[in-house]
Amino acid sequence: ILEDAQARGVVMPAGAYNSLLLSFMYEPFDAVKNRRMTEEILEIYERMMAGDVESRPFRATYSILIGMLSRRGNFAKAEELLSRMFESGFRPTTFIHAAMLSGMMLNKQDHRALKRYETLRSHDGSSSPFEGFQPEMHLKLLLQLALSATRVLKPRYLDLLFSDIFKILPDEKLSSGDFDLLQHIGTSPHIHATVAGEYLPEATIVKIIRFAGQSAQVSIANQAWPLFKYTKRAKEMGADYYPPMEAFAYRAAAQIYSGDIKGCLDTLQALKSTGASLDPPLLKQISLAFSRLDPEIVTPYFSGLMQVEAGEGVGGPSVDEVNLVLWYFAYRNDANGAIQMFDSISARFGAEPNLTSVNGVLYSILRSRDASRILENLLQEAEKMKLQLDQESYDYIVRVMIKQNRTQEAVAYIKEAASKGFSLNGRIVSVAITQSLRDRSTELVSQVLKTGLYNELIPSIKEDVENAERMKLLEFDIEKAIGTVQEDDKISMTAQN
């Protein structure tokens, strides 16, 4: 039809040529026909270049051509067309670059694809054929490139790729196919045949396991775990090497979410054997995962964990392990269970509670009716043990005081926290201010206005404080307030009410 139209002198627009080029995409790939079809594709392009202005290629034409040529392995010609496109005044899009990278991987040109990815990624933003690549638009492509990096034993590319992947990796964006790709990155048999001088980046393996823990993908965590032995630190330390603490924590979390409680306890036991202690945020991450399971599932394992072998305190759990159970009760708002665990640390296991233990009990009593008595006893215990309260402790204490309508004591603790350089959670202070204004108490508002706590307030409460100050409501003088409203039209309707 095209040839007949040309014979009749009909000028065919570029869109018609594009349609014809697109039809080649649906042709089954055949190595024998590949060269002939490539020649036909390029012949159509040359016709367009030689034709009328209306027939000339535009950006969509180049996009189709470059994608098809890359898919068919003709990278030299694809590169040439990319340059021609740029010279014709069309800027390349991220999808054109992605099509070239996909074609290279399809044709087993992994080295070439990774090198090009690095070039595109490091482009300085100047006008050139390499501009326009946006990694965040191509999650699946990045995962495929990471798999290529494991195939060709180029760990340094994994660091670059995972810095891009983990910027866009919220789990809701991952399909089951994406999960499979991520899993293959950790299980590729080629990765185990490491070459001299090449090591797997430890931080990247930790990132994979952290992602697995946060998205409940235990198979990814378990299969990535053996890769730690191919890191530089593992090679240097030999039998003394153990993975980073964060990796243990997130692997344990992934095992919990998948229902593999025994596997989680084995992971925690392995961590215990290293002599390392879990940082409080990591410990709480595991406890939070446990708290989401049915207690009937968890209780038997915790009972086993709390067993003491022959002798007082011999062979019993570590403080970390007791804290893990303590925070499990805290997250389930079970103050009695948390207190029982706290008391057992010294009474039963012969150890000393630490600040993580104290904060766990503080968290557990936030919804307890008996919070006041428990709080006083707990703070006395902390003082005896010479434990210095931290910002988290003060956050919980102030919240308890607010819930008990003990505004003056809340003010005292806020002052104490400020004197130690702690900036309490803005939302907590905001709640305290609301409560104190209801109680017609001005001390907390005045204190907040004098300290850096004011900058931590949530915007709506900050506005309330500003209006209260401007309207002289802190003096509770209604006549002054009414006069201020009449004179100041900037006061909000809420403040007027």
Side-chain angles (χ1 to χ4, degrees), residues 115-248:
K115 190 172 181 181
R116 186 171 190 85
Y117 157 76
E118 186 177 31
T119 301
L120 293 170
R121 190 181 182 278
S122 60
H123 182 63
D124 59 7
S126 61
S127 182
S128 83
F130 295 102
E131 67 177 299
F133 182 56
Q134 298 173 7
E136 66 275 11
M137 300 285 288
H138 308 286
L139 176 58
K140 190 180 289 291
L141 175 67
L142 296 178
L143 288 167
Q144 289 169 333
L145 281 164
L147 188 56
S148 292
T150 68
R151 278 199 295 259
V152 298
L153 301 174
K154 291 294 180 185
R156 70 185 183 86
Y157 288 117
L158 276 175
D159 268 347
L160 294 176
L161 284 156
F162 273 95
S163 66
D164 287 338
I165 288 169
F166 282 97
K167 288 175 187 173
I168 54 174
L169 239 196
D171 53 8
E172 64 268 20
K173 289 187 178 180
L174 280 179
S175 66
S176 58
D178 295 333
F179 275 124
D180 289 343
L181 274 173
L182 191 58
Q183 191 164 318
H184 284 310
I185 293 165
T187 58
S188 171
H190 302 281
I191 207 163
H192 299 297
T194 49
V195 294
E198 288 279 15
Y199 301 103
L200 296 181
E202 187 178 68
T204 294
I205 303 170
V206 172
K207 284 178 183 177
I208 294 175
I209 293 172
R210 183 197 303 142
F211 165 74
Q214 291 170 337
S215 56
Q217 294 294 315
V218 68
S219 59
I220 292 176
N222 288 343
Q223 292 174 17
W225 194 260
L227 300 182
F228 281 116
K229 62 181 149 185
Y230 299 104
T231 62
K232 185 175 182 181
R233 206 160 64 87
K235 295 286 186 184
E236 290 174 348
M237 296 179 67
D240 295 328
Y241 172 80
Y242 55 86
M245 185 194 311
E246 186 181 9
F248 280 100

Side-chain angles (χ1 to χ4, degrees), residues 161-419:
L161 284 156
F162 273 95
S163 66
D164 287 338
I165 288 169
F166 282 97
K167 288 175 187 173
I168 54 174
L169 239 196
D171 53 8
E172 64 268 20
K173 289 187 178 180
L174 280 179
S175 66
S176 58
D178 295 333
F179 275 124
D180 289 343
L181 274 173
L182 191 58
Q183 191 164 318
H184 284 310
I185 293 165
T187 58
S188 171
H190 302 281
I191 207 163
H192 299 297
T194 49
V195 294
E198 288 279 15
Y199 301 103
L200 296 181
E202 187 178 68
T204 294
I205 303 170
V206 172
K207 284 178 183 177
I208 294 175
I209 293 172
R210 183 197 303 142
F211 165 74
Q214 291 170 337
S215 56
Q217 294 294 315
V218 68
S219 59
I220 292 176
N222 288 343
Q223 292 174 17
W225 194 260
L227 300 182
F228 281 116
K229 62 181 149 185
Y230 299 104
T231 62
K232 185 175 182 181
R233 206 160 64 87
K235 295 286 186 184
E236 290 174 348
M237 296 179 67
D240 295 328
Y241 172 80
Y242 55 86
M245 185 194 311
E246 186 181 9
F248 280 100
Y250 282 105
R251 186 189 190 193
Q255 289 166 325
I256 295 166
Y257 285 128
S258 68
D260 183 10
I261 310 298
K262 184 180 182 305
C264 167
L265 296 178
D266 289 343
T267 298
L268 294 176
Q269 188 59 39
L271 173 62
K272 184 179 178 181
S273 68
T274 68
S277 294
L278 276 174
D279 286 341
L282 297 175
L283 182 144
K284 289 190 285 186
Q285 177 79 24
I286 299 171
S287 297
L288 181 61
F290 270 123
S291 72
R292 292 172 179 169
L293 298 178
D294 188 320
E296 290 184 6
I297 298 174
V298 177
T299 304
Y301 290 99
F302 280 172
S303 298
L305 192 67
M306 294 295 108
Q307 289 297 318
V308 180
E309 295 171 10
E312 181 68 23
V314 178
S318 64
V319 175
D320 270 355
E321 288 169 325
V322 181
N323 281 341
L324 190 147
V325 183
L326 190 158
W327 270 95
Y328 161 78
F329 287 119
Y331 281 126
R332 295 190 68 84
N333 301 316
D334 184 347
N336 290 332
I339 292 165
Q340 186 180 347
M341 285 295 105
F342 182 87
D343 292 341
S344 71
I345 294 175
S346 54
R348 187 177 172 201
F349 304 125
E352 284 290 325
N354 55 25
L355 194 55
T356 304
S357 318
V358 172
N359 287 342
V361 177
L362 285 172
Y363 185 91
S364 76
I365 65 174
L366 288 176
R367 294 175 179 82
S368 171
R369 293 180 181 178
D370 203 17
S372 297
R373 180 187 61 79
I374 298 169
L375 179 61
E376 287 167 12
N377 291 339
L378 183 66
L379 293 178
Q380 287 173 7
E381 286 291 320
E383 192 172 347
K384 281 183 195 174
M385 293 183 286
K386 298 182 179 179
L387 291 175
Q388 295 294 318
L389 301 180
D390 63 4
Q391 181 168 321
E392 183 182 2
S393 312
Y394 283 107
D395 275 355
Y396 296 148
I397 293 169
V398 171
R399 285 168 69 180
V400 171
M401 295 299 178
I402 292 166
K403 288 184 76 68
Q404 299 284 323
N405 293 323
R406 295 160 64 180
T407 308
Q408 289 188 348
E409 289 166 277
V411 171
Y413 277 108
I414 288 175
K415 286 180 179 177
E416 186 178 316
S419 70

Side-chain angles (χ1 to χ4, degrees), residues 19 21-29 37 68 71-72:
S19 297
L21 287 169
L22 280 169
S23 69
F24 282 89
M25 291 181 68
Y26 301 102
E27 288 285 334
F29 188 84
M37 292 181 74
M68 284 196 296
R71 185 175 174 78
R72 295 180 182 283

Side-chain angles (χ1 to χ4, degrees), residues 12-19 21-22 45 48-49 53-66 81 84-86 88-91 96:
M12 297 294 285
Y17 283 102
N18 288 353
S19 297
L21 287 169
L22 280 169
Y45 168 72
M48 294 176 75
M49 291 295 291
V53 174
E54 291 179 41
S55 305
R56 296 285 170 82
F58 57 100
R59 185 159 61 182
T61 313
Y62 285 106
S63 182
I64 296 165
L65 286 164
I66 292 168
L81 286 177
R84 283 205 206 176
M85 171 186 170
F86 181 73
S88 300
F90 301 112
R91 301 179 69 180
I96 290 174

